[in-house]
Amino acid sequence: MSSDGFGSPEVIVAIVALVISLVALTATFMQVMQQYYASAAGYSQCNEKVMGDWAKTKTRRFSWEELRYEVQYDSPVIFVSPPSNKRGPIPNDDIFFLDGTPKSLEETHTTSELDPSAEYLKLSTKERIHTADNERASWFVLLYAIQRMESKSSEWQKGQYGPPGALTAKYGLPRLPPSLREHHTLTVALQRKRKSWDTMPPSMTKPYATTTMCHMIEMLAVLGIYWKEFDRRRDRYWAEGNGFLVLGERNDLGIIFSLQVHGKCTFERNRVIPVDYVKELTFGYVPTIYRDTIDQSRLTVPTDMPENLSSLQMGNSRELAESLTVIGCNTNAVNYFLEDGKRTSHIFPLAFEILGMLCQNLHINNSSFTFIPNPTPYSFDKRSLSLKKMLEAFKVHFDSEANTTRNHIIVDVIRNHVDEILHHYSEKDGAPRLLCLRVLHMAIDDTDEILTAKRKESVEVGRQAAPDASKTTTSVPLVFCTENQGETTLEGRRREAVQDVLRSHIQEVLRLLNERDERADNQSLQVHAAAAAAFDRPPASPLQQRFHERVGLRPAAPPPRIEDVDDASPDDRQQLLMDVYFEVVRPRVVPKATFSTDRRASLVGGARPQSLPSLRGGGRSISRGPSLAPRPGSSRGGSSTGRAAPVAAAEETGNDAVPAALTVMSGDESDGDIAVVSVAGDAEEDEDSAVGENGAAVNAATDRSWRSRIPLSAQPASHDDIWCTLVFRMICWLMLHDFNKLDVQISKSELLGSRVPVYIA
């Protein structure tokens, strides 16, 4: 046998050594590869359990300079903008809007459910909430919530309309509900930003999303999440609502927010109206009907130009006091909001009354969404009052005004709207509620024309014109009230007159709420004096008694008090509040506002506002105060003669002293009403004046026919017309808009438009 065979010990040893060497080489190679792959820090954190389909964007890039792998991934930059926006935070990059459609879900790497697995879909809602799935990034949950909001709310609104075209013939509604692309002016969008894990701070263990402080606050408001704590000094942020919990704090990267799901979220009737003005409400700013243009970037503070009442601040008591100063209220009214223990509410806070009188109509026409963020520090719960009963009480007083000389065109428009609202009023979901919201929307559009003297752009929707109404079309929600910048002379005078009425109204209501009412003591003295005089007075003759019975003279009932509203039951306090407004507030507000307008006209040297001619005939003069007719069906007894109780404004101890010349007259002298601000500054508007060439009042029938051909925005409006329009608009606006009772504004007005970057874990 040869010693060179394969079976020699040397060969066997060599083979074994070779195998061991190959194993060692392989192990060494794998160890080296593992070290290189291990240098790709963060790669395992970017998995589907953390960021869903966004994990598909992660890649490793080998750096030859550092001989290691760098992990790169896409993360969202989230912001809020109109759906027509073409410019995002990342220049020249695609913008993806979160509209809840399958295409949007695919483009934004989100799902309709947090866990798309079949096992998860079989779980109940409670089991889904309590599953131990805390690995998800908060921003992925946020994107899911926004997509769900858009899809579920759109699905619910389509259910209100029923099959396409089902409500068109019966109610005149469009075939389909308003779409996001054409009617919404507020949507959430994102852009993809390529990031490297090398820049990840040590305190962050998951990929994070980027946004700004203002956009974060706006997104949470849209989702129905309300702030409980917003402490910028200690960097403590806490918000919750609609099944979500948000916490924020500062670390070495900056302010970090995290969002968790702890309950069921619904986006149906409680969906916030997707309009751009919601951004301002979120920070305590109120865009008023005198806002002409809008800065969608919000880089300038809206209150930089407060002289035209374009914006008001209501985030806290101090900001409310500043808003009253802008309106022109006196020191007493301002101090009621600054001093502790002062009363600023009757059956609801006075801030919501100002809101209803001046705030923009935020409702999207033919839409079912009515909720908006609360810009005030007070809670508002519609269940604590009945706005329908308040409107019915308003109608009782408004229809009883038979002896006034106000503009009957405005009176008829308001009366028609009141009748339509009460006829179509409905709170149940479906077509009746849609029609009710539409009627309210139309009513507010007409009141805006009266109060601003601007004709709103509108579209016909198949509704026949109401009698004596100059315009009864509904308008789509427009960001711009007019294409013309600035005010005309007519618009400026109308705004000043509205400001005079509003200022006097706020001052009078606050005075009644806070000052001690001494009328009870005065009335008791009058009773004793009358009883003492009865002993010396001879008994009335039968002729005098028959005369009193024929003319219907009765002892005048005492005026209503605000204390009566406090003592009333929930069913009666709406009626009593309107009693106080029409019988106490209105007779004091209208003369004071008239005096302010006339005084301003005399001081500036301009033409005084033309008088509104009598609508009952002839050239009858117009007195400087309203006449109050009896209230049929009122909760209090009253005179049946229609004679108003004299109000000597100069003798009142209220906030403003008014000369005795503006005292409300009695008898025939009280048939008139003040008239103001119907004069335009140019020649064309002067030709449309309400007087003849010789200055005499025209005939009533001719005047009414002439006025019916004028647009509602150009109709002459008296201070009494303005006051009634403001109160009517307040009721309609509160009917058309809803607030969550848990939503209370925490002052953060300085953050409007803030581009301070914040991060979502």
Side-chain angles (χ1 to χ4, degrees), residues 541-554 641:
S541 64
L543 181 61
Q544 291 175 335
Q545 294 179 356
R546 288 195 299 271
F547 173 76
H548 289 171
E549 293 176 357
R550 183 172 69 253
V551 299
L553 289 177
R554 298 178 183 175
T641 63

Side-chain angles (χ1 to χ4, degrees), residues 343 345-349 353 380-394 397 560-582 631 634-636 730-731:
R343 184 177 176 185
S345 63
H346 34 72
I347 63 178
F348 56 85
E353 187 169 332
F380 188 85
D381 188 1
K382 279 189 176 181
R383 296 176 299 180
S384 62
L385 72 156
S386 174
L387 293 172
K388 180 184 179 183
K389 292 182 178 179
M390 187 178 297
L391 185 61
E392 291 173 346
F394 175 88
H397 287 279
R561 304 178 305 160
I562 201 69
E563 290 82 359
D564 298 335
V565 181
D566 300 334
D567 297 337
S569 64
D571 294 333
D572 298 332
R573 54 186 179 181
Q574 289 83 204
Q575 173 69 50
L576 289 173
L577 180 65
M578 288 295 101
D579 291 349
V580 173
Y581 271 28
F582 273 86
R631 296 179 289 108
S634 174
S635 59
R636 296 177 58 258
M730 177 264 297
I731 299 174

Side-chain angles (χ1 to χ4, degrees), residues 614-618 698-707:
S614 173
L615 302 184
R616 293 194 311 275
V698 298
N699 181 269
T702 304
D703 175 71
R704 185 165 183 174
S705 174
W706 166 83
R707 246 193 308 269

Side-chain angles (χ1 to χ4, degrees), residues 122-359:
K122 294 179 181 179
L123 298 177
S124 64
T125 303
K126 184 177 181 181
E127 291 173 333
R128 294 182 186 184
I129 295 171
H130 291 283
T131 17
D133 188 14
N134 300 323
E135 296 86 4
R136 292 287 187 187
S138 294
W139 55 265
F140 187 82
V141 179
L142 177 64
L143 297 182
Y144 153 77
I146 295 172
Q147 294 279 22
R148 182 179 178 86
M149 174 189 67
E150 295 293 353
S151 62
K152 294 299 181 181
S153 62
S154 176
E155 179 182 344
W156 175 79
Q157 183 162 245
K158 289 180 180 178
Q160 305 299 302
Y161 272 74
L167 305 179
T168 303
K170 186 175 181 181
Y171 298 104
L173 295 171
R175 297 184 70 256
L176 297 174
S179 62
L180 183 146
R181 293 286 178 176
E182 297 178 359
H183 297 83
H184 295 191
T185 56
L186 183 146
T187 54
V188 180
L190 64 84
Q191 289 180 301
R192 300 171 185 169
K193 183 176 182 181
R194 197 69 176 170
K195 290 186 177 182
S196 172
W197 193 268
D198 293 350
T199 60
M200 183 70 67
S203 59
M204 302 296 294
T205 59
K206 300 178 183 179
Y208 60 87
T210 307
T211 184
T212 62
M213 179 63 82
C214 67
H215 290 156
M216 185 67 188
I217 296 173
E218 293 161 5
M219 285 187 291
L220 296 185
V222 170
L223 290 172
I225 305 174
Y226 313 115
W227 293 101
K228 304 296 182 180
E229 183 179 7
F230 200 92
D231 191 346
R232 299 177 63 194
R233 178 177 300 178
R234 298 182 299 167
D235 286 320
R236 293 180 59 89
Y237 308 95
W238 167 35
E240 60 180 304
N242 201 15
F244 297 101
L245 173 65
V246 178
L247 297 175
E249 60 182 1
R250 179 179 292 275
N251 65 6
D252 51 355
L253 179 63
I255 300 178
I256 304 293
F257 289 96
S258 62
L259 184 142
Q260 300 175 0
V261 179
H262 69 84
K264 183 180 179 180
C265 59
T266 57
F267 300 103
E268 295 180 349
R269 191 169 182 172
N270 63 331
R271 163 75 193 270
V272 174
I273 303 175
V275 293
D276 189 81
Y277 281 132
V278 165
K279 295 182 178 181
E280 297 187 25
L281 297 178
T282 305
F283 296 91
Y285 286 94
V286 177
T288 69
I289 56 179
Y290 298 103
R291 173 80 64 85
D292 285 335
T293 60
I294 184 173
D295 176 20
Q296 294 181 343
S297 63
R298 301 308 196 286
L299 296 179
T300 58
V301 180
T303 53
D304 286 344
M305 300 178 62
E307 65 274 4
N308 58 354
L309 294 180
S310 62
S311 292
L312 299 176
Q313 285 184 267
M314 294 187 173
N316 54 29
S317 299
R318 178 185 57 81
E319 293 178 354
L320 276 166
E322 293 177 357
S323 295
L324 294 188
T325 303
V326 172
I327 294 174
C329 294
N330 55 27
T331 305
N332 292 339
V334 172
N335 288 338
Y336 288 140
F337 281 94
L338 294 177
E339 299 175 0
D340 295 334
K342 296 298 183 180
R343 184 177 176 185
T344 58
S345 63
H346 34 72
I347 63 178
F348 56 85
L350 187 63
F352 289 98
E353 187 169 332
I354 302 174
L355 199 64
M357 291 180 174
L358 289 183
C359 184

